[in-house]
Amino acid sequence: MATPSRKTATPGPLASKRPLPRDPSSEVPSKRRSSASPAPPPPRPLQSSGPFVEGSIVRIAMENFLTYDICEVSPGPHLNMIIGANGTGKSSIVCAICLGLAGKPAFMGRADKVGFFVKRGCSKGMVEIELFKISGNLVITREIDVAKNQSFWFINKKSTTQKIVEEQVAALNIQVGNLCQFLPQDKVGEFAKLSKIELLEATEKSIGPPEMHRYHCELKNFREKEKQLETSCKEKTEYLEKMIQRNERYKQDVERFYERKRHLDLIEMLEAKRPWVEYENVRQEYEEVKLARDRVKEEVRKLKEGQIPMTHRIEEIEKQRHNLEARIKEKATDIKETSQKCKQKQDVVERKDKHIEELQQALAVKQNEEHDRQRRISNTRKMIEDLQNELKNTENCENLQPQIDAITSDLRQIQDEKALCEGEIIDMRREKETLEKEKKNVEEHIVRFDNLMNQKEDKLRQRYRDTYDAVLWLRNNRDKFKQRVCEPIMLTINMKDNKNAKYVENHISSNDLRAFVFESQEDMEVFLKEVRDNKKLRVNAVMAPEHSCADKAPSVSLNELKQYGFFSYLRELFDAPNPVMSYLCYQYHIHEVPVGTERTRERIERVIQETQLKQFYTAEEKYVVKTSFYSNKHITVNTSLKVAQFLTVTVDLEQRRHLEEQLKEINRKLQAVESGLIALREKNKHLEHRDNELRQKKKELLERKTKKRQLEQKISSKLGSLKLMEQDTCNLEEEERKASTKIKEINVQKAKLVTELTNLIKICTSLHIQKVNLILQNTTVISEKNKLESDYMAASSQLRLTEQHFIELDENRQRLLQKCKELMKRARQVCNLGAEQTVPQEYQTAFQDLPNTLDEIDALLTEERSRASCFTGLNPTVVEEYTKREEEIEQLTEELKIKKVELDKYRESISQVKERWLNPLKELVEKINEKFSNFFSSMQCAGEVDLHTENEEDYDKYGIRIRVKFRSSTQLHELTPHHQSGGERSVSTMLYLMALQELNRCPFRVVDEINQGMDPINERRVFEMVVNTACKENTSQYFFITPKLLQNLPYSEKMTVLFVYNGPHMLEPNRWNLKAFQRRRRRITFTQPSQ
């Protein structure tokens, strides 16, 4: 809350009639600005007892604390009335008491950090509380550092810790967190919200003996442990019964186990003999396999000896084959060399043939060229003759020139018309392109406007669906209304700058932002009947003023406000239809509310004092200035601005309508341009056709005019060509003779080469015959070798089969030998025998009675196993578990006895503690009830206090129940935050605290503005009770804070009244002198009769 820079507050004991303990001028609490001279040092703590009780507050000092610069308060020992207008600093004294006695900042309900209690603009603050003690007063000082949000503690000017301060305060039974002792302004409403259990705990701590709350806590702990022991005993008893029942069931299982064991022993003996029988069978099989292996080994030796001669013969034949293959390779090499020589000779002969062919082709080309020259000469002569005949028949063309000149003139005129027409077409095309670009830009602007409007409508649909549906209905039914109907204000308002939307949204209520604006009452009734009654939509509607207020001028010119940082009135920040703007000016005075900047925030005190503005905005806050009903001073409330949600999207509907009209004009111009283009194209097409006709006619005339000259030029050209062809002659006979001579020379060389080639072919043929003979010999040798190898392979196959048989028999022998060893080892392991031990006599005797074959042993094993399997659900540990469970039963029985003994001890303790706690508590509650009922009876009302519990054994559910009734026609009702009115709750709270006053063992009680909601009658009655109760002998100190008092109230000689004043004309602290004030008062009194 903004405060004037020279504000001071001075609470003083003006109504106190108690003797002052020291110089009155030093006791007057004062407040000064931070720039004033330092305050005098605090007085020495009081040592005498006087009327103060142990722990009462003797002095409260504050420096840079909330509204105070420097202030010192000296309360009385009984009732202290702290009176002052709202905002003067009464509750600041309450905050000082709480924080100075190590209370939590959050308990005050104002702020959660202690730094927030330091005066704005100061870096440090101080609170000092002096408490009365018979042994010497206790001075507690708390210094607060804003930057670090830390506190520094001192006791009697010596540095200490908060924990020690809390211990000293608790030792004096001061509980600033107990609403029964300390009830600040922001916590008054919470007293009625206390549950019965919380109220009992607060009452115990406040007025009960020190041990009462301790007994209560012990009872709750004992009861919790009792419940745990009862649960434990119950669980152990149930578990013990289950164990006993289970062992009874297992007793029969144990007997069945021993019967099963007999069958298992026989199975064990059969399984012990079976490996020995199996070993003997395998040993006999091993001997048989060993004899068969020896026979096959001898057969293998004989087969290997029979293969040796065949091996030697195959080796000899292989050597012979290698010799023949070498000779064949030599012959192949000779054949290859001879063949290469033949190829070379043949290539030379082919080149000679090719040379002859080239000579013949060259001669044929020359012959063809000569024949072609003669043919061309003949053709040229004929063409010259034809051209000369045509030249003779050609007419005289001199009379064609006038026709050509006339056509040329017409063509020139047509070209000019075409150029003019094409220029117009180009201009129209450019105009059309320009118009199409303008049309595209306008359409894009319209689309952007529609997108923005859709965003606003989407926000409306998501937040207020009924309003959105009503907008759709209105757009489809505008013909039903006689005058203009505006859509919801949030859709029609268009911000000139989006960053200013927060001011408008914080100024106009959300209900009006979604309201429809009407100019006619009849239209509004038609709309609401259709939308609300028929369609059941929840919508808002408002009427625009009959006389428009949209252009109403502000009372203060904006130029006068610019010096404070204001840049505009709210009305100038946005555009809206006239009915909407008129309604907002009428209802919200937007033409009178200026908007400022951070500069305005810095000069806020000047703005409040000098401008007389009721509402205005800074960059981030809204300020409302009211006039105090009591002091006629300004009271300022500032709130932070909320972020804008709806008006951040701006749509200029007037501009959109202008764009639509512009689009229509562009479309009209485009149609006109298109019609002009069509006409010009038709004209251009006609001119083009006429131009083509004239050009064709001119071409024909020109061709006729130039034909004779062309014929003469052609005849001259042909005569020149003829002369050149006749000069280019060739001697064919000489050429033929030269070619024939060269061909004869080449044929002689060719005959020599053919003779050499024939001799080489004969040599090559002889070599081929020799190679074939060698190949035949090699084939015979290979055939013999293959036959020998086939015989050898047959013998080798027989040998491999025999060897494979030998290997299989040997492997079988080794397998059987290994199996014999394994069976022997297993048999010894089954009988637990060492490597050198023999079978014990007991096994031999048992084995004699058992079968001697595997089949008989397996059959008996199967039978015994079947018998043993009949005993299902048994295992080898069943006897062990049975024995173990018997031991566990004994152990549980002993533990259960111990638990029951412990439970009996707890029940005995509960009984003793309950007697020490419950009886005094009932007496205490009865005393409270007696006083509380008396207080209510004196007000012609009824009230009672009782100890309430649903179950006598649930000590954590005990609570104090307050029941009241304020009218004779009603029943007693429990005090709750909802059933009684605010004034009734305040009266009930106050009377309950007064009922505690005489019983209270706490040194002081604080109640802040509890009479605010009371009617005058109840306020007067409660005040009388407070005075009578708090001013009795042997009662604790009482602080009663109120902004107002009724007239003609009763006062007591023992009460102290502290007035808190503030304002720009208060005296500086160093000029405050109570004695001087008293002397001046006496002088005024003495001089009045003489006048």
Side-chain angles (χ1 to χ4, degrees), residues 7 100 143 163 209 292 307 337 345 481 602 612 689 729 845:
K7 170 185 171 183
E143 294 183 357
K163 185 177 180 181
Q307 282 184 325
E337 292 175 356
K345 295 296 181 182
F481 303 101
E602 295 169 0
Q612 303 300 319
H689 180 67
T729 59
T845 303

Side-chain angles (χ1 to χ4, degrees), residues 200-212:
L200 173 61
E201 184 177 351
T203 304
E204 286 179 339
K205 292 178 180 179
S206 178
I207 65 171
E211 66 275 5
M212 178 175 286

Side-chain angles (χ1 to χ4, degrees), residues 489-593:
I489 293 176
M490 68 172 64
L491 296 182
T492 56
I493 283 180
N494 288 288
M495 300 302 303
K496 296 178 180 179
D497 190 341
N498 290 344
K499 67 182 181 181
N500 295 326
K502 59 184 178 182
Y503 303 119
V504 180
E505 284 199 23
N506 279 273
H507 195 73
I508 303 173
S509 70
S510 60
N511 286 336
D512 276 356
L513 277 176
R514 57 192 178 96
F516 294 80
V517 182
F518 292 84
E519 292 183 326
S520 167
Q521 183 70 28
E522 183 181 352
D523 286 345
M524 186 168 74
E525 291 175 359
V526 171
F527 176 81
L528 293 177
K529 181 178 180 181
E530 182 65 31
V531 174
R532 280 188 183 172
D533 300 342
N534 297 342
K535 295 186 173 296
K536 306 300 182 183
L537 299 178
R538 296 188 298 273
V539 297
N540 296 336
V542 296
M543 275 289 298
E546 184 177 354
H547 300 289
S548 177
C549 301
D551 299 324
K552 193 174 181 181
S555 58
V556 182
S557 172
L558 184 62
N559 292 329
E560 297 178 16
L561 299 177
K562 286 184 178 178
Q563 60 177 319
Y564 305 107
F566 293 106
F567 64 88
S568 175
Y569 281 103
L570 275 179
R571 182 177 61 184
E572 317 306 328
L573 298 179
F574 62 90
D575 294 324
N578 188 272
V580 175
M581 189 68 77
S582 177
Y583 172 76
L584 294 178
C585 289
Y586 176 79
Q587 184 67 25
Y588 290 96
H589 306 288
I590 57 175
H591 61 292
E592 296 282 2
V593 180

Side-chain angles (χ1 to χ4, degrees), residues 642-685:
K642 299 178 182 177
V643 178
Q645 299 179 356
F646 299 106
L647 302 182
T648 54
V649 179
T650 301
V651 181
D652 192 340
L653 297 179
E654 188 63 32
Q655 186 178 356
R656 189 184 185 283
R657 283 194 294 272
H658 176 70
L659 289 172
E660 288 177 347
E661 293 174 358
Q662 188 177 351
L663 182 62
K664 290 179 182 178
E665 181 64 22
I666 291 172
N667 287 331
R668 186 187 61 77
K669 290 180 179 180
L670 278 173
Q671 289 177 359
V673 170
E674 190 65 33
S675 301
L677 277 174
I678 293 172
L680 287 172
R681 289 193 187 103
E682 288 295 329
K683 181 180 179 181
N684 193 47
K685 184 177 179 183

Side-chain angles (χ1 to χ4, degrees), residues 298-314:
E298 182 63 22
E299 185 178 352
V300 169
R301 185 186 63 77
K302 291 178 180 179
L303 288 173
K304 286 182 179 181
E305 290 176 354
Q307 282 184 325
I308 295 174
M310 283 192 288
T311 304
H312 292 164
R313 179 57 183 161
I314 289 172

Side-chain angles (χ1 to χ4, degrees), residues 171 178 192 262 266 295 394 406 476 527 604 692 735 749 751 926:
N178 190 339
R262 288 193 293 273
L266 179 57
R295 288 196 298 270
T394 302
N476 295 326
F527 176 81
I604 192 66
N692 291 336
E735 294 294 332
Q749 297 173 4
E926 185 60 34

